[in-house]
Amino acid sequence: LIINISPTLIEMFSSRNSVEAELNLRRSRRETYIEPLCCKNQEDMKDFKAFMSNFYRTIYKRKKECDSICEKYPDTVGKYYKELVLPETLSYEDFWQRYFYRCGSLPTKQPQQIQKEPSNSRRSMMMNMKNKSKNDILQSVRRLFSL
């Protein structure tokens, strides 16, 4: 049985692995949780304000999600939650605000989602990925999250 996998598809999954590696690194850094958030430039201020507004509207409705994240990542998120929030060194809101801003929602696609897209969208997405290197994608993610 011979399976033909396009280089673009391999690169796309490889870049997703790079994003996951970056997220794992952020989860493992104490600074992710203790460094206050700040918006460094005016271009990002609108998105930053939208994030903050949405965060405060939804954080208490997301308690189960937060508990689930602590359980899913016990050696990183769970550990820092126990070290910083439970003894009240850091507020619950500040901890999750910093986590979700820095680690919460990077644009990654699951393989199932990719397969469900119409072929024109998939082709367009693959062409965009083809024109970017892994380092370009990683740099974009780092700029987005100010690392």
Side-chain angles (χ1 to χ4, degrees):
L1 178 67
I2 298 173
I3 299 174
N4 186 11
I5 301 175
S6 77
T8 306
L9 192 56
I10 291 171
E11 183 177 314
M12 190 169 60
F13 284 109
S14 176
S15 67
R16 191 177 97 201
N17 289 339
S18 296
V19 170
E20 285 300 317
E22 180 68 26
L23 285 173
N24 287 333
L25 177 65
R26 290 180 188 184
R27 284 185 199 105
S28 70
R29 296 177 62 221
R30 185 178 186 87
E31 292 81 14
T32 296
Y33 311 99
I34 62 171
E35 292 292 322
L37 295 180
C38 65
C39 187
K40 295 181 181 177
N41 61 46
Q42 290 294 49
E43 295 170 6
D44 297 332
M45 186 57 73
K46 184 178 177 183
D47 292 335
F48 182 77
K49 286 180 178 179
F51 167 82
M52 296 300 278
S53 175
N54 184 54
F55 173 82
Y56 282 108
R57 267 195 324 273
T58 63
I59 186 58
Y60 295 106
K61 298 173 188 173
R62 299 173 81 178
K63 177 126 178 59
K64 287 182 182 179
E65 179 186 358
C66 294
D67 291 343
S68 174
I69 291 169
C70 285
E71 290 173 14
K72 185 174 182 179
Y73 305 104
D75 297 330
T76 55
V77 183
K79 172 183 135 183
Y80 289 119
Y81 184 84
K82 288 175 187 172
E83 285 180 14
L84 299 169
V85 178
L86 294 182
E88 297 183 14
T89 304
L90 186 66
S91 75
Y92 178 86
E93 294 85 359
D94 285 344
F95 181 89
W96 289 111
Q97 174 193 93
R98 294 165 187 177
Y99 172 82
F100 284 118
Y101 188 77
R102 294 180 174 131
C103 305
S105 52
L106 291 181
T108 59
K109 290 189 177 241
Q110 301 299 323
Q112 304 89 310
Q113 291 172 313
I114 294 167
Q115 292 171 357
K116 289 179 184 175
E117 290 181 351
S119 102
N120 288 341
S121 296
R122 181 175 23 197
R123 188 175 301 115
S124 171
M125 181 184 68
M126 292 173 91
M127 291 305 291
N128 286 337
M129 293 298 292
K130 185 176 182 179
N131 294 329
K132 292 186 176 184
S133 71
K134 292 177 200 173
N135 287 336
D136 290 338
I137 295 168
L138 195 53
Q139 287 300 327
S140 296
V141 170
R142 284 189 175 135
R143 271 195 306 275
L144 178 65
F145 290 97
S146 301
L147 290 180

